[in-house]
């Protein structure tokens, strides 16, 4: 189970092995291999991996949240005995385990990173799998996809995040559509994580100076293929009750605690890596939360006698920074008192007086009114910075130009690496099977080559359509189940529950809109012209159904109200059978929606969508996108691989909303629905299928995590003589 990156260190690799062996010892002999597989998330993106576990007990598998550790702990003796006697299944498990073992040998040098000096990838959230709920949305999904792809490509990487004992919140909408939150504690012993121990066999801990005290943190290791994910955990007896809460909740509401989380991630990550003897060649700050990490690197050098200038230069040389949003909430500012309370003496430890330290977090250092923001700190303390799409690169150069007063916007050293999605994770099994049948053998390892996808054109239209209809039918069946349960839980009327029971059609044009309920995503455009919406929804000729999902941050009243606005649909005839809001959007729900929807809609206010990734997942499964030309779609849309709403920015947001909503309804009514329902004698909408093929062919190779990780390795993790062109990345 240990990997070549870190063999022989006290880095938790032997604890992961021990946890798996302890589990194996409780199971019938032939099932030991299931325990080993359970402790490496590699199974989750291997064909047949999930089926191994669900075959043990399909109901319990669902109930455990698809968590293999819980499943194996909770499955009945009968179910285990039955599985142990199933030689076919045990054989498959052994084959999968062999594959995981084979991965380990493939880690190689990539850019500056080597197995001895890996990339340290830091992020506040990681969405590796639905059974490890330490993520909120797109940022976490992207981080999880990067780890999986780094494993697939053999890029030497270790990741550090926080173990939130209560994760992000769970969501329940009430009858009015208002969001309520609740939290369920995560038991780290019941997920595939192992506590890292030191050479004495005691939990490895480090201390981090926070809020005038020394916070003690321990560390869990989760194996993501060949990449270890280390999670810091403040739930230690040495800490006060309040301090233990620091790692309770992702994006905690209390500002001081949130700031303490970020400080812990930045400083603590560097300390635990050092305590394990890991010395990263590159420290990748994935968003600003971890931006104190390079300062901790400098502090260490300064404590060893290095002068401040040299220490800062060296720290910057090792650090790269990715900014993920131009939206204010993602670039949060802290005032002097907040910084002083949480960070205490840390500035003094790096030889800075408090005012000089504050200047690091400001765009205009000499403006005392400006709060301390992590993004400017990250940009200043890194040798390369990038946004996450071509357009977001431009927006970021403009936004952060004041940091480089001597440079015109075009030469601001912020490049871009467009996001991508991990193909084996997001491809529905049936779609994977279709592509395996029609693309050249081994196509997955050549997924970034346009030639690989050219063969999509030769797949018979009937086959594509049959697959799309199957995926839609699976989604519809599940939406019925979920909507009945959600509506009963909301105490909706009997008619509305009955409508969910008999509603939703396996043949109707199925439209998905699922994302964080942040204001800039403009959910309200969906209901802006009630009469037109009513006409579209209740159309007999071109029936449409709409599946909605998404969470609003607990403090975001506007976001919550936007969900409530959607419940205005209830008043529209037929909406009960054709519109559903599914509670609790997560990775599991996302994978169903992106597989089954025909059309995926995204209506962000331009230019605020840094990238967006859910539409890329839809492409892989043969769905089509209708989106504002912002984020990734601005570089993906070619006129025939989906539909677009103009992405220019109108000065008056109200005018823009009216215009964009009308464009959206027009496209639905005049383009999307007629094409979907234009059937030939064989029942196949050939025009629609042509678009699907074009979407796969043009966007399949460009928006995969493989392309993205290659870009990071080639342009960001690499060594280049000219540091300016380095920082420019793709710009
Ligand atoms: C892919 C994904 C996202 C990102 O969605 P965008 O709105 O396209 O950025 C968010 N949440 C979940 C659960 C996802 O799977």
């Amino acid at each position: 189970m240990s990997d070549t990156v870190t063999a022989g260190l006290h880095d938790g690799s032997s604890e992961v092995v021990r946890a798996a062996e302890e589990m194996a010892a409780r199971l019938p002999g032939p099932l030991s291999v299931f325990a080993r597989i359970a402790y490496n998330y590699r199974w989750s993106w291997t064909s047949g991996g999930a089926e191994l576990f669900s075959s043990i007990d399909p109901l319990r598998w669902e109930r455990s949240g698809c968590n293999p550790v819980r499943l194996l702990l909770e499955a009945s003796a009968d179910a285990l005995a039955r599985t142990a006697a199933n030689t076919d299944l045990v054989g498959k498990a052994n084959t999968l385990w062999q594959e995981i073992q084979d991965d380990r040998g493939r880690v190689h040098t990539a850019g500056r990173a080597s197995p001895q000096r890996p990339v340290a990838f830091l992020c506040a959230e990681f969405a590796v799998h639905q059974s490890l709920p330490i993520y909120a949305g797109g940022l976490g999904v992207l981080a999880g996809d990067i780890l999986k792809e780094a494993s697939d490509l053999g890029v030497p990487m270790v990741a550090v995040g926080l173990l939130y004992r209560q994760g992000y919140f769970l969501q329940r909408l009430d009858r009015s559509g208002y969001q309520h939150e609740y939290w369920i504690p995560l038991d780290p012993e019941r997920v595939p994580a192992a506590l890292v121990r030191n050479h004495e066999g005691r939990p490895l801990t480090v201390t981090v100076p926070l809020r005038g005290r020394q916070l003690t943190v321990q560390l869990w290791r989760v194996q993501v293929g060949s990449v270890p994910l280390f999670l810091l955990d403040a739930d230690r007896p040495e800490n006060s009750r309040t301090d233990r809460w620091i790692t309770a909740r992702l994006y905690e509401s209390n500002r001081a605690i949130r700031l303490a989380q970020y400080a812990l991630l930045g400083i603590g990550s560097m300390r635990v890596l050092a305590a394990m003897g890991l010395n990263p060649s590159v420290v990748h700050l994935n968003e600003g939360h971890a931006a104190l990490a390079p300062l901790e690197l400098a502090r260490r050098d300064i404590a060893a006698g290095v002068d401040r200038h040299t220490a800062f230069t060296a720290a910057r040389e090792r650090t790269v920074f990715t900014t993920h949003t131009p939206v204010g909430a993602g670039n949060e500012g802290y005032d002097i008192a907040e910084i002083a309370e949480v960070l205490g003496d840390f500035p003094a430890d790096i030889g800075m007086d408090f005012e000089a330290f504050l200047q690091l977090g400001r765009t205009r250092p000499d403006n005392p009114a400006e709060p301390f923001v992590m993004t400017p700190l990250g940009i200043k303390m890194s040798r390369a910075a990038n946004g996450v799409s071509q357009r977001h690169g431009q927006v970021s150069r403009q936004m952060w130009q004041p940091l480089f007063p001597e440079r015109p916007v075009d030469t601001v050293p912020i490049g871009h690496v467009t996001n991508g999605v991990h193909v084996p994770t997001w491809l529905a099994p049936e779609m994977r099977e279709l592509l395996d049948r029609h693309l050249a053998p081994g196509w997955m390892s050549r997924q970034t080559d346009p030639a690989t996808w050219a063969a999509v054109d030769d797949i018979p239209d009937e086959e594509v359509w049959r697959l799309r209809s199957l995926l839609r039918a699976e989604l519809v069946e599940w939406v019925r189940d979920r909507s009945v349960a959600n509506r009963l839980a909301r105490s909706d009327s009997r008619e509305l529950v009955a409508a969910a029971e008999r509603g939703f059609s396996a043949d109707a044009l199925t439209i998905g809109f699922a994302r964080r309920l942040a204001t800039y995503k403009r959910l309200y455009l969906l209901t802006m012209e009630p009469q037109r919406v009513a006409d579209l929804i209740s159309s007999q000729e071109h029936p449409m159904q709409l599946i909605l999902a998404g969470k609003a941050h607990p403090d975001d009243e506007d976001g919550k109200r936007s969900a409530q606005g959607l419940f205005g649909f209830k008043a529209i005839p037929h909406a009960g059978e054709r519109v559903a809001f599914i509670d609790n959007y997560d990775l599991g729900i996302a994978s169903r929606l992106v597989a089954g929807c025909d059309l995926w809609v995204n209506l962000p206010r331009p230019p605020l969508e840094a990238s967006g990734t859910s539409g890329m997942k839809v492409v892989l499964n043969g769905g089509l996108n209708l989106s504002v030309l912002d984020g990734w779609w601005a570089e993906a849309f070619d006129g025939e691989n989906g539909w677009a709403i103009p992405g220019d920015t109108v000065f008056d947001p109200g005018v823009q909303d009216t215009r964009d909503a009308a464009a959206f309804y027009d496209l639905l009514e005049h383009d999307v629905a007629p094409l979907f329902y234009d059937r030939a004698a064989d029942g196949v909408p050939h025009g629609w299928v042509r678009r699907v093929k074009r979407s796969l062919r043009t966007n399949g190779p460009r928006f995969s995590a493989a392309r993205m990780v290659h870009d990071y390795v080639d342009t960001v993790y690499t060594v280049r003589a000219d540091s300016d062109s380095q920082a420019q990345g793709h710009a």
Side-chain angles (χ1 to χ4, degrees):
M1 172 78 52
S2 94
D3 53 68
T4 49
V5 174
T6 55
L9 301 171
H10 290 285
D11 61 358
S13 45
S14 54
E15 283 79 5
V16 175
V17 174
R18 193 172 317 127
E21 292 312 320
E22 275 173 20
M23 166 81 81
R26 311 159 68 128
L27 300 171
L31 297 191
S32 320
V33 65
F34 283 73
R36 292 177 197 127
I37 294 171
Y39 276 89
N40 187 331
Y41 273 113
R42 179 72 167 81
W43 65 265
S44 70
W45 73 90
T46 308
S47 293
E51 288 70 31
L52 281 183
F53 294 111
S54 68
S55 308
I56 296 175
D57 182 344
L59 258 179
R60 197 164 287 283
W61 176 242
E62 283 298 317
R63 247 179 250 152
S64 72
C66 306
N67 173 349
V69 168
R70 260 189 69 189
L71 176 84
L72 293 176
L73 284 171
E74 294 170 7
S76 68
D78 260 8
L80 293 175
R82 218 178 319 111
T83 311
N86 184 340
T87 46
D88 179 45
L89 201 67
V90 172
K92 283 186 185 155
N94 280 304
T95 308
L96 195 144
W97 178 239
Q98 195 52 51
E99 259 181 74
I100 295 178
Q101 299 285 90
D102 292 347
D103 276 2
R104 296 186 304 149
R106 297 193 301 111
V107 180
H108 54 76
T109 300
R112 286 186 187 198
S114 64
Q116 296 71 38
R117 304 279 317 269
V119 175
F121 184 89
L122 313 183
C123 193
E125 50 170 314
F126 288 92
V128 173
H129 190 258
Q130 65 195 92
S131 58
L132 191 63
I134 53 168
Y135 64 92
L139 179 68
V141 178
L142 187 85
D145 279 8
I146 285 179
L147 304 195
K148 293 175 191 175
E149 194 61 54
S151 171
D152 288 349
L153 296 175
V155 174
M157 182 179 277
V158 300
V160 189
L162 303 183
L163 183 84
Y164 303 101
R165 292 283 185 141
Q166 302 183 18
Y168 197 49
F169 70 93
L170 294 172
Q171 172 196 54
R172 189 182 75 80
L173 297 195
D174 66 21
R175 192 144 49 133
S176 78
Y178 192 75
Q179 171 180 297
H180 299 259
E181 299 92 23
Y182 59 103
W183 283 261
I184 294 181
L186 165 79
D187 179 352
E189 309 276 355
R190 292 196 158 225
V191 294
L195 192 61
V196 179
R197 292 175 186 277
N198 63 16
H199 59 280
E200 297 168 325
R202 283 203 289 271
L204 181 135
T205 59
V206 299
T207 58
V208 178
L210 283 178
R211 314 168 95 192
R213 298 184 285 277
Q214 292 292 329
L215 182 76
T216 301
V217 283
Q218 60 185 12
L219 190 63
W220 299 83
R221 177 174 176 137
V222 173
Q223 204 63 38
V224 184
S226 57
V227 174
L229 167 58
F230 294 106
L231 298 171
L232 301 165
D233 175 13
D235 196 351
R236 291 279 313 170
E238 298 89 334
N239 299 329
S240 71
R241 286 175 185 79
T242 318
D243 284 349
R244 285 178 221 166
W245 188 264
I246 289 175
T247 50
R249 293 177 175 180
L250 171 58
Y251 303 139
E252 159 70 45
S253 286
N254 180 305
R255 288 172 56 88
I257 293 181
R258 201 159 60 229
L259 180 59
Q261 295 182 328
Y262 302 158
L264 171 59
L265 179 64
I267 301 169
S269 61
M270 295 299 99
R271 294 195 177 179
V272 293
L273 290 182
M276 291 186 292
L278 282 166
N279 187 11
S281 54
V282 177
V283 174
H284 186 166
L285 312 175
N286 194 47
E287 193 50 296
H289 309 115
L292 291 169
L295 295 181
E296 166 63 12
L297 290 177
R299 186 203 60 79
R300 210 187 288 159
D301 281 354
I302 290 166
V306 176
D307 71 88
R308 181 152 67 89
H309 179 76
T310 309
F312 268 59
T313 306
R316 204 175 280 124
E317 250 321 285
R318 279 169 85 178
T319 308
V320 300
F321 174 70
T322 302
T323 172
H324 283 269
T325 181
V327 174
N331 295 286
E332 186 174 42
Y334 296 93
D335 62 33
I336 299 176
E338 289 174 313
I339 295 287
E341 189 217 318
V342 173
L343 293 184
D345 293 336
F346 187 76
D349 291 345
I350 50 174
M352 297 185 93
D353 65 48
F354 198 66
E355 175 56 28
F357 181 82
L358 289 175
Q359 291 186 0
L360 286 173
R362 290 189 194 134
T363 311
R364 291 180 185 76
D366 48 4
N367 175 5
E370 222 184 271
F372 185 97
V373 179
M374 293 291 188
T375 312
L377 174 65
I379 294 173
K380 288 179 196 178
M381 287 307 298
S382 55
R383 69 171 163 81
N386 68 280
V388 290
S389 71
Q390 200 171 349
R391 184 167 187 187
H392 181 234
Q394 288 161 8
V395 170
S396 304
R397 285 190 286 283
Q398 191 134 34
M399 184 164 175
W400 302 109
Q401 191 277 336
L403 286 173
F404 306 90
E406 76 292 0
R407 287 180 185 245
V409 169
D410 286 352
T411 68
V412 166
I414 301 176
H416 75 273
V417 172
T418 302
N419 283 344
V421 295
H422 184 244
V423 176
T425 295
W426 292 105
L427 212 46
E430 297 90 338
M431 186 69 185
R432 168 98 195 233
E433 201 258 323
L434 179 86
L435 294 177
D436 282 348
R437 215 150 11 89
H438 289 278
L439 305 190
W443 70 273
M444 191 65 90
S445 56
R446 290 187 307 279
Q447 53 175 284
T448 57
D449 182 355
T452 299
W453 298 81
V456 162
D457 276 346
D458 303 328
I459 308 177
D461 285 4
E462 301 71 46
E463 242 185 279
V464 173
W465 187 242
R466 211 177 315 126
L467 173 87
R468 288 298 319 155
S469 303
L470 173 73
L471 292 175
R472 184 188 320 106
E474 284 178 3
L475 173 65
V476 162
E477 194 52 33
W478 175 85
V479 165
R480 284 200 188 117
D481 280 351
R482 270 299 163 103
S483 315
V484 168
N486 286 170
R487 286 176 193 186
L488 284 169
R490 282 175 207 147
S491 310
D492 270 329
S493 69
R494 256 182 41 210
E495 299 90 279
L496 216 51
V497 176
E501 186 99 50
R502 63 163 189 274
F504 306 102
S505 154
D507 303 313
L509 170 60
T510 303
I511 303 172
F513 187 103
R515 46 193 29 93
R516 278 180 307 117
L517 304 179
T519 318
Y520 82 92
K521 301 266 191 184
R522 295 196 297 178
L523 271 82
Y524 53 87
L525 294 196
L526 293 173
T527 47
M528 206 151 159
E529 290 182 43
Q531 190 51 50
R532 263 195 106 176
V533 180
D535 293 346
L536 287 172
I537 291 291
S538 54
S539 164
Q540 297 302 314
E541 191 197 358
H542 291 158
M544 295 178 197
Q545 51 200 9
L546 184 56
I547 320 292
L548 307 157
K551 292 176 172 180
H553 186 275
D555 301 332
D556 180 6
E557 278 302 321
D558 285 345
K560 289 189 189 181
R561 265 194 296 277
S562 67
Q564 231 174 352
L566 291 177
F567 274 48
F569 275 122
K570 276 189 186 176
I572 295 173
H574 298 298
E577 295 105 76
R578 294 192 181 162
V579 184
F581 188 100
I582 308 289
D583 284 4
N584 240 340
Y585 188 43
D586 72 354
L587 284 178
I589 294 177
S591 63
R592 290 178 190 275
L593 295 184
V594 298
C597 287
D598 299 295
L599 185 76
W600 196 250
V601 172
N602 193 15
L603 304 167
R605 175 180 305 289
L608 296 181
E609 182 75 305
S611 169
T613 51
S614 53
M616 304 172 185
K617 306 165 190 167
V618 168
V619 164
L620 293 175
N621 290 297
L624 292 173
N625 281 276
L626 188 174
S627 172
V628 171
L629 285 174
D630 195 15
W632 78 287
W633 193 235
E635 64 199 86
F637 179 63
D638 74 352
E640 290 170 58
N641 57 4
W643 290 274
I645 293 169
D648 59 319
T649 309
V650 178
F651 179 71
D652 180 337
V655 172
Q656 174 134 28
D657 287 349
T658 309
R659 186 195 76 174
D660 293 352
F664 168 58
Y665 301 133
D666 285 345
L667 281 171
L668 271 190
E669 183 178 348
H670 304 304
D671 293 63
V672 176
L675 194 68
F676 183 86
Y677 286 105
D678 179 16
R679 305 297 163 90
D682 59 5
V684 175
H686 292 283
W688 183 275
V689 173
R690 199 171 314 125
R691 245 170 223 255
V692 167
K693 288 182 175 177
R694 190 174 176 97
S695 160
L696 276 164
R697 198 157 44 72
T698 55
N699 291 329
R702 295 179 59 203
F703 298 99
S704 70
R707 194 271 309 139
M708 164 175 65
V709 170
H710 277 303
D711 282 356
Y712 275 113
V713 169
D714 293 344
T715 69
V716 179
Y717 299 161
T718 196
V719 197
R720 281 222 220 126
D722 175 1
S723 63
D724 275 3
S725 66
Q726 161 62 46
Q728 279 287 70
H730 274 224

